[in-house]
Amino acid sequence: MTPFEKTGGLADVAGSLPLALGRLGIKTLVLMPKYRNVPFTKKKLSENVTIRFIKQEEFFNRASLYGNEKGDYADNLERFSFFCNEALHLCKETGFKPDVVHAHDWQTALLPVLLKVKLAKDPFFNNARSVLTVHNIAYQGQFSARRYEALGLDPELFSMEGFEFFGKINLLKAGLLYADAITTVSPTYAQEIQTRDFGFGLEGVVHKRAGRLRGILNGLDYGVWNPAKDGAIRETYSWKDLEGKKLCKSALQKRCHLEVNKDIPIFGMVTRLAEQKGMDILSEICDEFLSQNAQFVLLGEGDRVYHTTFRNVAARHPHNAAVFLGFNAAEAHSIYAGADFFLMPSYFEPCGLGQVIAMKYGALPIVRATGGLKDTVIDANFPRANGFVFKEPSPEKLLETIRRAMAIFEDKKKLALLRKTAMKADFSWDESAREYVKLYKEITS
Ligand code: ADP
């Protein structure tokens, strides 16, 4: 949860949804593991929102959240099973009697099961309903069946109608079966995860529960992401006055040792380096793309193979490309602010925040038509355009779309119009938070 710990978009959502709910009068207790960098165990975030961090040194005082360079931590089942049980225990201990327990992703997918099975007869919880939000169905929390005991649940629940998934424990699957409502982070992704191409094996389970499923687009916290007030960028700006963006662009070019030239478009990218993000499609066209009058700035962290690939791209194109490997919030802000375009050629993208942030900063998104990218970006060929969209996930189509963007970069009038539409678009939390409240009311009435 931003600003405490972050590995991706889930942190942004967890950071802003509770506050938006609080503004709508929903009293919210946020529970999160006390990871190493969290300095306290409790904090009041607003009038209606408090966060408590669950402490267990052995499980959570580690260098990273879910794993290290060797892979996922071997005891993730124990870690998150502990977290879920302790979260409910803490509710009781502090007298916070929930109407709704809202779980996010596999790490907390056990909660709907605990409420329905273990605590079904507990008067403290028997009115509590559960919502499970799937931020990315590719991550399911799968573990060897031999470790089932760690869950402390009836062995009968290890079945087709419960945790069992091709002989393994699958936490997300059980959560999907037991939750009173399921949401995912965009309407298109809600449809996609019912199909084989996107469901990662859980499409049948999701489809079965389609009546309980809805897609609610993530909002963006404009308190954090606003070029008019951003202290991390060279100069602030807004759609009404883009002078500051010019300075941000030249500052980025300087820092990246690229030619400082306003007439060369910068294509930016801030991303987890994962297969999902279309990094292979991009790497195939980098040489061709960078042989043109274009600059590329990448900030990313993730799979080592992409670290190597893109380090090599930077080495081959020192005058056009800069690659920063790592997670760096301040650097991310400068890239959004300095870039003219923002690349997201994802194979799948449940919602995607990068493209929405980029729009606000006037970096036109270049995206593949999938999930939340499809729900937020309108191609330059259409009225109300705010970016570029391509359908087929292939290097050729990506290159073709980059070329279209470069052509528009030369057409200053069209570029200004697109940029203005993108920067004025409103993807704030208020509307989405209202939809969540509507859902909470439906399941508790
Ligand atoms: P995902 O959740 O799949 O990683 P999103 O687009 O939904 O993708 O959210 C990514 C968020 O994480 C954005 O706020 C983006 O700016 C940030 N981010 C991703 N990679 C990095 C990085 N290497 N350094 C800093 N911020 C990053």
Side-chain angles (χ1 to χ4, degrees):
M1 173 177 172
T2 302
F4 308 112
E5 268 296 357
K6 172 164 176 170
T7 58
L10 167 60
D12 293 290
V13 175
S16 29
L17 176 60
L19 293 171
L21 291 171
R23 286 196 292 276
L24 295 173
I26 307 283
K27 202 156 178 252
T28 307
L29 173 65
V30 185
L31 295 160
M32 181 180 133
K34 188 174 182 304
Y35 292 118
R36 180 171 291 177
N37 296 328
V38 180
F40 30 68
T41 48
K42 184 185 169 190
K43 193 173 164 71
K44 197 166 161 71
L45 299 176
S46 74
E47 193 193 337
N48 286 327
V49 186
T50 299
I51 182 162
R52 281 178 181 273
F53 297 93
I54 290 177
K55 190 169 167 181
Q56 212 283 20
E57 290 289 325
E58 202 195 320
F59 281 162
F60 302 127
N61 186 3
R62 296 189 185 177
S64 2
L65 272 52
Y66 309 126
N68 52 27
E69 53 299 328
K70 291 194 202 111
D72 290 346
Y73 290 133
D75 57 355
N76 275 346
L77 180 70
E78 290 75 10
R79 295 173 78 219
F80 289 99
S81 165
F82 168 83
F83 174 69
C84 291
N85 279 283
E86 199 54 26
L88 295 172
H89 181 227
L90 201 66
C91 284
K92 214 167 170 178
E93 201 178 84
T94 58
F96 189 94
K97 192 171 181 194
D99 298 307
V100 175
V101 174
H102 190 158
H104 296 269
D105 275 353
W106 69 265
Q107 294 89 333
T108 54
L110 196 56
L111 286 166
V113 187
L114 295 176
L115 287 169
K116 280 257 168 22
V117 177
K118 207 169 163 185
L119 299 168
K121 294 205 175 75
D122 185 329
F124 191 81
F125 288 108
N126 60 12
N127 284 325
R129 298 288 174 265
S130 61
V131 178
L132 174 61
T133 296
V134 180
H135 294 262
N136 190 336
I137 206 163
Y139 302 91
Q140 302 179 354
Q142 293 197 44
F143 304 93
S144 159
R146 271 176 287 141
R147 291 168 55 204
Y148 185 76
E149 230 170 66
L151 292 174
L153 292 168
D154 189 339
E156 279 190 8
L157 291 176
F158 187 73
S159 70
M160 286 275 279
E161 295 307 309
F163 289 93
E164 196 270 333
F165 183 72
F166 296 100
K168 291 176 106 178
I169 300 169
N170 186 319
L171 295 180
L172 191 67
K173 181 194 168 204
L176 289 168
L177 289 170
Y178 279 82
D180 292 302
I182 303 164
T183 71
T184 186
V185 290
S186 70
T188 295
Y189 195 58
Q191 296 306 315
E192 287 174 343
I193 55 175
Q194 298 180 48
T195 66
R196 241 170 76 178
D197 284 349
F198 294 91
F200 285 84
L202 288 180
E203 56 275 5
V205 179
V206 177
H207 187 65
K208 189 168 142 190
R209 306 232 54 221
R212 299 284 183 142
L213 168 68
R214 115 173 29 165
I216 302 178
L217 198 68
N218 283 339
L220 183 67
D221 185 347
Y222 289 118
V224 177
W225 299 106
N226 181 358
K229 294 190 180 140
D230 193 328
I233 61 179
R234 169 73 177 71
E235 186 64 60
T236 55
Y237 60 92
S238 74
W239 65 269
K240 287 185 197 139
D241 178 4
L242 286 164
E243 278 310 304
K245 184 161 176 78
K246 288 185 192 153
L247 292 174
C248 290
K249 176 170 176 176
S250 54
L252 182 63
Q253 287 173 320
K254 231 181 251 161
R255 215 181 36 267
C256 295
H257 305 291
L258 302 172
E259 183 183 332
V260 178
N261 184 339
K262 67 176 176 27
D263 296 323
I264 304 177
I266 303 183
F267 292 77
M269 199 166 186
V270 178
T271 186
R272 282 187 297 117
L273 294 175
E275 193 188 347
Q276 167 200 345
K277 302 290 179 180
M279 302 315 294
D280 57 339
I281 308 181
L282 177 65
S283 71
E284 276 190 47
I285 60 153
C286 272
D287 290 337
E288 174 110 33
F289 155 43
L290 293 171
S291 66
Q292 311 188 21
N293 201 23
Q295 295 172 343
F296 173 56
V297 179
L298 165 71
L299 167 64
E301 183 174 44
D303 295 353
R304 297 298 126 166
V305 25
Y306 299 123
H307 281 223
T308 310
T309 307
F310 285 92
R311 200 181 286 124
N312 291 341
V313 167
R316 285 201 302 277
H317 301 275
H319 303 295
N320 306 54
V323 171
F324 301 98
L325 298 169
F327 195 95
N328 185 329
E331 196 66 61
H333 284 250
S334 340
I335 295 177
Y336 289 114
D340 296 293
F341 300 101
F342 190 80
L343 294 167
M344 272 179 97
S346 310
Y347 285 104
F348 67 92
E349 196 63 71
C351 175
L353 286 176
Q355 84 281 16
V356 183
I357 300 171
M359 279 190 232
K360 184 70 184 173
Y361 283 73
L364 297 175
I366 297 175
V367 308
R368 200 176 89 69
T370 182
L373 297 175
K374 198 170 163 186
D375 292 339
T376 51
V377 183
I378 304 168
D379 188 80
N381 288 331
F382 298 96
R384 296 189 300 117
N386 56 18
F388 300 84
V389 184
F390 64 101
K391 286 205 178 95
E392 191 195 312
S394 68
E396 296 75 28
K397 290 291 169 200
L398 173 59
L399 190 59
E400 193 183 299
T401 314
I402 288 178
R403 290 207 171 107
R404 270 203 297 132
M406 289 177 72
I408 290 216
F409 187 75
E410 300 303 322
D411 181 345
K412 297 298 174 210
K413 242 176 149 175
K414 188 127 199 222
L415 179 71
L417 183 66
L418 277 167
R419 199 170 253 165
K420 186 167 148 191
T421 312
M423 293 179 78
K424 283 177 76 180
D426 181 5
F427 294 102
S428 59
W429 263 108
D430 296 342
E431 191 48 40
S432 311
R434 254 182 238 115
E435 280 194 58
Y436 278 111
V437 174
K438 202 168 125 209
L439 175 68
Y440 298 159
K441 286 196 171 141
E442 278 170 32
I443 58 175
T444 49
S445 61

